[in-house]
Each structure stands twice: as structure tokens, then as C-alpha cells.
Amino acid sequence: CRSVLVSHVSLLIQGCFRYLLSEETDSQQGVELLADFLGLSVGDKTASIPMLPSGLLPELILHVFQEEGMKVFTRIFVPLLEKLSHSVRQSDLVNKQYQHLFMLMNDLCDVTDSASKTKPFCKLVTSHSNFFKKEWNGR
């Protein structure tokens, strides 16, 4: 039952159920929906409570990484990573929103694919263009 839920959430995020979202939707709107479920509300200074069941996010990450491939994984999770990064930049170190964002990033980075012994979200972060700045010049 849980694997069916993960599969359906994956399809929803990819924009496969367009009639549920809107006529002009694409996977970006599905990513917005996932961000809302994770409590990533940009512009709002209060942290919202994540609405995903416990353990669903790691299963979703592994499902998309293993079943859909890195291309789909990147298409779904890069916008989420950018939203997370933007939310961190907008929050203060002492408020609950920052704690929520830090814990979310920790949870995302802890997910490990047992078959390949890789951490999909860490792989995504390190391959992202904003991870290495050009001015560092390899130092």
C-alpha cells in the first residue's frame, strides 16, 4: 500500500495528473506542491508544519532515484533544492523556520540508496551549478 502511495506521489509531482492541478500545469507545479507539503513557504517568516507522513520523503527520493532515473530526479529535486536554499537565505538562525529547514536538509542528505551505496540528494547538491563557485579556482 505504501509503495503505491509513493508511486502516485511521484507521478503527481511529475505532472502526470494534470486535471488535479490545472490545465497549464507542468512538473514545476508538482514540485511546488511537494515544497508546500514539506513546509517550504518562501516569503512567509513562520515555518509551516510538514504534511507528509513519516518516512514518505526518503521512500519518495529512493523511488524516483531508482525507478525514474537521475534525469527525472534532477527535474524534480533541483527546484526543491533551490527553494530550500532560498528559504535558508531568507530565515534567521534563531527562529524555528531555520531549524525546520536545517532538519529537512539533514533528512534529505541522510537518504542512502543501498544498492549503489550513494546518497541521491548529496549527489544532486554536489552536481548543482551553484555548489562550486567559479571564483574559487580549485582552491
Side-chain angles (χ1 to χ4, degrees), residues 107-127:
D107 292 345
L108 291 169
C109 289
D110 273 349
V111 177
T112 304
D113 177 27
S114 58
S116 64
K117 304 288 188 226
T118 60
K119 295 188 174 205
F121 203 79
C122 291
K123 184 177 182 177
L124 180 69
V125 169
T126 56
S127 67

Side-chain angles (χ1 to χ4, degrees), residues 26-73:
D26 58 3
S27 63
Q28 188 63 31
Q29 198 167 13
V31 172
E32 292 289 330
L33 184 62
L34 179 61
D36 289 343
F37 282 145
L38 293 174
L40 294 177
S41 50
V42 177
D44 188 343
K45 293 299 180 188
T46 61
S48 57
I49 298 169
M51 295 182 282
L52 289 178
S54 160
L56 184 68
L57 185 60
E59 288 183 40
L60 178 64
I61 290 170
L62 289 175
H63 172 78
V64 173
F65 183 71
Q66 294 169 343
E67 305 296 325
E68 308 293 337
M70 195 63 184
K71 185 177 179 179
V72 173
F73 185 82

Side-chain angles (χ1 to χ4, degrees), residues 4-114:
V4 173
L5 174 65
V6 170
S7 296
H8 278 82
V9 170
S10 171
L11 291 171
L12 179 67
I13 293 168
Q14 293 176 53
C16 294
F17 301 116
R18 294 173 189 258
Y19 63 89
L20 291 176
L21 299 173
S22 73
E23 290 295 320
E24 70 282 342
T25 190
D26 58 3
S27 63
Q28 188 63 31
Q29 198 167 13
V31 172
E32 292 289 330
L33 184 62
L34 179 61
D36 289 343
F37 282 145
L38 293 174
L40 294 177
S41 50
V42 177
D44 188 343
K45 293 299 180 188
T46 61
S48 57
I49 298 169
M51 295 182 282
L52 289 178
S54 160
L56 184 68
L57 185 60
E59 288 183 40
L60 178 64
I61 290 170
L62 289 175
H63 172 78
V64 173
F65 183 71
Q66 294 169 343
E67 305 296 325
E68 308 293 337
M70 195 63 184
K71 185 177 179 179
V72 173
F73 185 82
T74 301
R75 189 175 72 229
I76 291 173
F77 287 102
V78 162
L80 186 69
L81 175 63
E82 290 170 351
K83 228 178 198 337
L84 182 61
S85 174
H86 180 73
S87 295
V88 167
R89 284 192 306 271
Q90 299 249 330
S91 67
D92 297 324
L93 286 172
V94 293
N95 69 15
K96 290 193 183 286
Q97 182 182 20
Y98 186 82
Q99 291 173 329
H100 166 68
L101 297 171
F102 183 76
M103 294 302 294
L104 177 59
M105 187 65 164
N106 184 50
D107 292 345
L108 291 169
C109 289
D110 273 349
V111 177
T112 304
D113 177 27
S114 58

